[in-house]
Amino acid sequence: MTTAVVETERTPVLRTLIGLLMALLVALLASSIVSTSLPSIVRDVGGSQATFTWAVTGTLLAITVSTPLWGKLSDLLNRKILIQVALTIFIVGACLVGAAPAEGVLISGRVLQGIGAGGLMALVQIVMADIISPRERGKYMGLFGAVMTLGTAGGPLVGGLVTDAVGWRWNFYGSVPIALAALVIIQLTLHLPTTTRKARIDVAGAVVISGAVSLLLIWITLAGESFPWLSVPSLLLAGGTLVLIAAAIFVERRAAEPIIPPALFQNRTFVLTVVASLSVGVAVYGTSVFVSQYLQLSRSASPTEAGLLVLPQLIAVVISSTVIGALVSRSGRWKPWMITGSALLAIGLGGLATIDATTAMPLLWLYQAAVGLGIGIVMQNLVLVAENAADVSHMGVTSAGVAFFRTLGGTIGVTVLGALLSARSSAVFEESSAALRGAGVATPDVDLAALPDPATLPDAVRTAVEAAYASGAASVFLASVPLALLSLLAIIALPNLPLNTKTRAQRIAEREASTAVDAAGGDGTTLDEERP
């Protein structure tokens, strides 16, 4: 049983929110800020291509695996303490990476960062539900959208600037003061209901779920690079993943406090938001990665220039999340806006599917802006809608579940789409090389998978490389369009439930009062009998 001491109304919400958003920012930057500095990092610690891969994969793996675990813990334990623990783990990891003398310390620190970041990504959303009702949360969506944008799409730009100015280690040391400030602000301003519910940790579920997700991501990451997709190692990893998924389903159905309660998948709203989140995750991570790669390899932009050239998408995310969030709070109507947002996402991706090496930059910005508007409208509102329909006792696993599937979808999607880009660009380049050789033009051996610098190649070969990468990028965005349309269909099918006007703490207090009346023999109704 839970005893709620409702102090949230006296909490300075905006001050607390600043601390939460600072925590979310460092968590998001953990996975995105290193992309432009990885070559320098690997070189300085004496690493190899494997170091390059695991410096990224280790963090993403830790984030994805830990997110549902943090979500479940938040339903059982004190959420303020949990978010402070996550911040502490993140700080330790950042300091380890910043001081890393060798690749082993680097990768260990990155994994610790991922565990802490997974907790922060899940817990910030969950704590927001404690202090802000679904109906009122739209007022703060602009702040949330700005942080999400800076943390994901803006990370490579920030990382490049910091690396050029003071060195790559400050990409990690620089996050420590922000995380410490967030820790202090949260300690001073966040007051949550006390919990006396008996915690029963589903250890078996945690082990098999972590194993299943880990094997899945390792398989997706290494297949096609370290070994062929159709090979013994690939089949072993795929088979192991299926076995562990089956074991997870078996264990979770019998657990007293399952990490991911099977009952969630009986909730139509949760299932549909998960489906929509999978494709949105691909759009969020995919556009950040592949537009930047297109700009550098097909348009001769430097990493910093590529970061600046994606600003239209970043600005669009902030504007749409701010404006639509305020409109949702004012009217309580969310579904028409989310349908509009998912349609804009599909249109923007469709536009990006038409790009080539000569596409006018204003047209590219227009496509990026459409994608940004869609992401800003849809991404955080999906979490809001899922929480709005969730039982208060499952609020943590609901929020974490949506974030988990969004991250999982984004990670798998970017990996698979990256393989598609590589295959398509290589095929186009081979055709162009054959044509050049037929015309008597000498063409050096170029490995597109190694991401060569087009500026170092002869003019004719450079043009062929730029065109090949542009074609590969266009094919990636074309393959993303069906996912965006799936997201649109899922949002259309969502039950159009009114947004609740009570915070999680208020709903818990109301439920307890109703339970007390029932225990005394009165005529009360529990919250579950009302609208969620």
Side-chain angles (χ1 to χ4, degrees):
M1 178 177 173
T2 305
T3 302
V5 181
V6 185
E7 297 178 352
T8 57
E9 291 183 1
R10 298 193 296 273
T11 301
V13 172
L14 187 57
R15 212 177 310 166
T16 304
L17 192 60
I18 289 172
L20 294 174
L21 292 178
M22 290 170 70
L24 180 64
L25 176 62
V26 294
L28 293 168
L29 286 173
S31 57
S32 66
I33 201 170
V34 300
S35 60
T36 50
S37 56
L38 268 175
S40 300
I41 295 173
V42 174
R43 186 167 51 250
D44 285 358
V45 301
S48 61
Q49 180 61 42
T51 312
F52 191 101
T53 299
W54 284 104
V56 176
T57 303
T59 306
L60 289 175
L61 187 60
I63 289 172
T64 308
V65 169
S66 66
T67 296
L69 306 183
W70 286 107
K72 184 60 187 180
L73 289 175
S74 75
D75 285 331
L76 301 174
L77 305 174
N78 186 292
R79 291 178 292 283
K80 178 176 179 177
I81 293 176
L82 285 174
I83 201 168
Q84 291 173 317
V85 169
L87 274 165
T88 303
I89 293 173
F90 180 88
I91 290 169
V92 172
C95 290
L96 271 178
V97 178
E103 57 183 328
V105 179
L106 172 76
I107 294 172
S108 299
R110 290 289 290 162
V111 170
L112 274 180
Q113 272 195 300
I115 294 171
L120 296 174
M121 290 181 188
L123 293 166
V124 166
Q125 299 268 15
I126 295 163
V127 171
M128 282 182 68
D130 280 314
I131 63 175
I132 308 171
S133 71
R135 177 69 180 266
E136 293 297 309
R137 210 172 309 164
K139 297 177 181 178
Y140 305 96
M141 282 297 181
L143 290 172
F144 210 97
V147 169
M148 292 289 290
T149 301
L150 178 59
T152 52
L157 173 60
V158 174
L161 292 173
V162 171
T163 300
D164 290 343
V166 292
W168 65 265
R169 294 183 187 273
W170 283 96
N171 282 331
F172 305 99
Y173 287 142
S175 66
V176 173
I178 301 173
L180 287 172
L183 197 62
V184 172
I185 293 171
I186 288 169
Q187 174 61 31
L188 295 177
T189 66
L190 180 60
H191 307 286
L192 295 177
T194 57
T195 302
T196 58
R197 178 181 175 183
K198 183 179 179 181
R200 291 175 290 182
I201 308 300
D202 178 18
V203 177
V207 170
V208 291
I209 290 173
S210 299
V213 174
S214 298
L215 270 187
L216 174 63
L217 293 182
I218 290 170
W219 173 48
I220 293 294
T221 301
L222 299 182
E225 293 187 8
S226 300
F227 46 78
W229 284 94
L230 293 176
S231 65
V232 173
S234 180
L235 293 175
L236 287 175
L237 284 173
T241 299
L242 292 175
V243 169
L244 285 175
I245 290 173
I249 294 172
F250 178 83
V251 169
E252 293 298 87
R253 283 181 172 175
R254 287 156 179 78
E257 290 284 359
I259 300 296
I260 303 178
L264 284 181
F265 295 95
Q266 298 172 9
N267 183 320
R268 179 183 170 192
T269 297
F270 177 78
V271 172
L272 290 171
T273 53
V274 163
V275 170
S277 293
L278 287 169
S279 56
V280 170
V282 174
V284 171
Y285 294 103
T287 52
S288 172
V289 171
F290 297 122
V291 169
S292 177
Q293 190 169 337
Y294 161 77
L295 289 168
Q296 292 181 59
L297 297 175
S298 292
R299 308 302 291 266
S300 302
S302 68
T304 301
E305 289 170 340
L308 292 171
L309 289 170
V310 299
L311 280 178
Q313 180 174 325
L314 313 190
I315 294 169
V317 171
V318 175
I319 291 174
S320 63
S321 59
T322 302
V323 174
I324 303 305
L327 291 173
V328 168
S329 284
R330 184 179 304 170
S331 66
R333 299 176 70 237
W334 54 268
K335 191 166 183 177
W337 296 116
M338 289 187 66
I339 291 173
T340 302
S342 54
L344 283 170
L345 180 60
I347 291 169
L349 289 171
L352 289 173
T354 66
I355 61 174
D356 57 30
T358 61
T359 299
M361 201 59 66
L363 191 58
L364 179 67
W365 293 338
L366 179 64
Y367 299 150
Q368 288 181 261
V371 171
L373 290 172
I375 291 172
I377 294 171
V378 172
M379 185 166 65
Q380 290 312 310
N381 279 321
L382 282 172
V383 179
L384 173 68
V385 170
E387 289 179 347
N388 185 62
D391 182 273
V392 287
S393 62
H394 286 161
M395 191 75 76
V397 291
T398 299
S399 299
V402 175
F404 166 71
F405 285 107
R406 182 177 65 221
T407 305
L408 184 65
T411 304
I412 293 174
V414 168
T415 303
V416 173
L417 291 176
L420 172 62
L421 185 149
S422 179
R424 174 62 180 166
S425 58
S426 295
V428 171
F429 180 69
E430 285 300 321
E431 293 177 5
S432 300
S433 296
L436 289 173
R437 287 192 294 269
V441 178
T443 57
D445 290 333
V446 179
D447 181 10
L448 295 193
L451 305 182
D453 182 1
T456 63
L457 302 172
D459 287 344
V461 178
R462 172 180 177 173
T463 301
V465 168
E466 290 175 344
Y469 272 118
S471 178
S475 67
V476 161
F477 295 122
L478 180 61
S480 301
V481 172
L483 294 175
L485 294 175
L486 178 62
S487 179
L488 173 60
L489 293 175
I491 288 171
I492 290 172
L494 279 170
N496 193 13
L497 301 176
L499 295 179
N500 205 300
T501 58
K502 296 173 183 153
T503 66
R504 171 178 173 166
Q506 291 168 337
R507 292 165 67 183
I508 290 174
E510 185 176 287
R511 168 179 284 184
E512 291 186 349
S514 179
T515 302
V517 170
D518 287 344
D523 182 21
T525 56
T526 66
L527 189 67
D528 284 340
E529 293 168 340
E530 300 177 352
R531 250 285 302 116

